[in-house]
Amino acid sequence: MTGSLRKRGDKWYYSFEAARVDGKRKRIERVGGRTKKEAEAALRKALEDYENGEQFQKTNISVSDYMDLWFDAYVLLNCRYNTQRSYRLIIDKHIKPSLGILKLTSLTPGKLQDFINNKYLTGISKNHLNNIISLLSGSLNYSVHPMNFLKNNPMQYVKIPKYNNTKTTDKHKIITNDDFNAIIKRFPERSSFYIPLMIGYHTGCRIGEAMGLTWDDIDLDNNTININKLIYKKDTSWYFGEPKTTSSSRIINIGNTLKNALKYHKRYIDIKRLEYGEHYIKQYNINDKITTSSLNLKAPLLNMVCVKSNGMLLTPDSFKYASRVINYELGIPFNFHSLRHTHATLLVENGANIKDVQHRLGHNNIQTTLNTYTHNTDKLAKQSVDIFENIILPTY
C-alpha cells in the first residue's frame, strides 16, 4: 500500500486509500508535519498502523470525549446503577476539569502521576483517590483492548501517594460493646432503627442488604437470613437490585439474640398493621421499583422487614438520622458500615474461621476480608504473643 504527500499552506499532508466501505472508495488524509520529511515519516507510521489494524482514525479523540465513549459503551452496559452514578460523578468532577482537554494519546505516566498527586494535595480521602485511580485504570485498559486507541495503559506506572494511617483513625471503624449498648439504649425495641442496627451488628450485612430484606428472606425456624437482593436509590425512588457480587448472595446463620428480636419485631408490626387499618402504609413491587402507598394497588405486595410502626419503608437515607444522633448526641464515631467492620473483627478476635467470616460478609476474595475488615486490635496483638508463648519450649 502506498500513499501521497501534498503541501497546503505551511503544513504537509499525507493521504492514502483505505479499504472500501459498501463498495465505495475511502481516502484518508492527515496532517503529517511542517516539513516533507516529517510527513513521509508520518505516512509510513500511518500505513504500518493501518496494516496492523490500529484504529488510528480516532487518535485525536480528547480525554473528555473518550470518557463519554467508554461510559456509554462499557459502564452503562456492564455496571450497576450506583456504580454508573459514582463513575459519572468522578468523570464530571475530577477527570474532565483536569484532563478532559488533552488528547487521549498525549496521556503519559508523568501527566497522570501529577494529576493524582495534585488530587492528594487537595486533602481528598484515600478511598476517594483509590476510586479515581480505579476508574482511570479501567477506562484506559478499555482504550488498549478492545478499542486499540492506545498501545499500553499509562496508569500501570502510576502510584498512589502514601497516606499516614493512625491507630485512632483505624479504631473509629469499630464499635465497642459499650458503644453498641449505648446505641441500643438510645434506639431500643419499638424504635424504628432498632432492627436495622441489630441486623447490621449481628450479621455484618451492608445497609442496602438490610433495608432490602423481606420476611420471605427470614427463616426463624432454621435461624437463617437469605441475602438475595438490596435496595438502591435512583433519582428519588428506591429499587430492588442484585447483591454487589455473586458471593454477596448468601445465607447467613443467626443466633437467638437476633432471632428473638426479629420475632418480637414481627409481632409488633402485625399489631400496628391492625391498629392503622386502611391507613397503614404498604409497599408494592412495580418492575423492581418499591412503590409506597396506603391504597391497594394491582401489584405484588411486599412484606418488608425494616419499616416504621406505620408501615413506612426505612431506607439508607432515613437511617442518616440515626447516624447523626449517634455521632453528635452520643459522641460515637459511626456509620452503618461500622457495624460490618465490628462484626468481622469481633469474630476474628474470638477465633472464628476466616472462611466463614468471608462467607458472612459476602466477599469474593478472602484477601478483602483480611485486609479491610480485620483490624490490628490490642486483643489480636496480645493473642499473637500468647499463641507463640504457648508453642515454644522453655529455654531455662
Side-chain angles (χ1 to χ4, degrees), residues 170-183:
D170 189 51
K171 280 203 167 186
H172 282 178
K173 297 179 180 179
I174 305 172
I175 303 299
T176 67
N177 192 49
D178 288 343
D179 285 343
F180 187 71
N181 286 335
I183 292 169

Side-chain angles (χ1 to χ4, degrees), residues 43 158 297:
L43 173 60
V158 175
L297 303 180

Side-chain angles (χ1 to χ4, degrees), residues 264-281:
Y264 180 86
H265 175 65
K266 191 173 190 305
R267 285 197 301 267
Y268 175 67
I269 292 300
D270 288 342
I271 292 171
K272 285 298 179 181
R273 186 182 291 110
L274 293 174
E275 289 180 357
Y276 276 92
E278 63 181 12
H279 301 294
Y280 187 81
I281 298 171

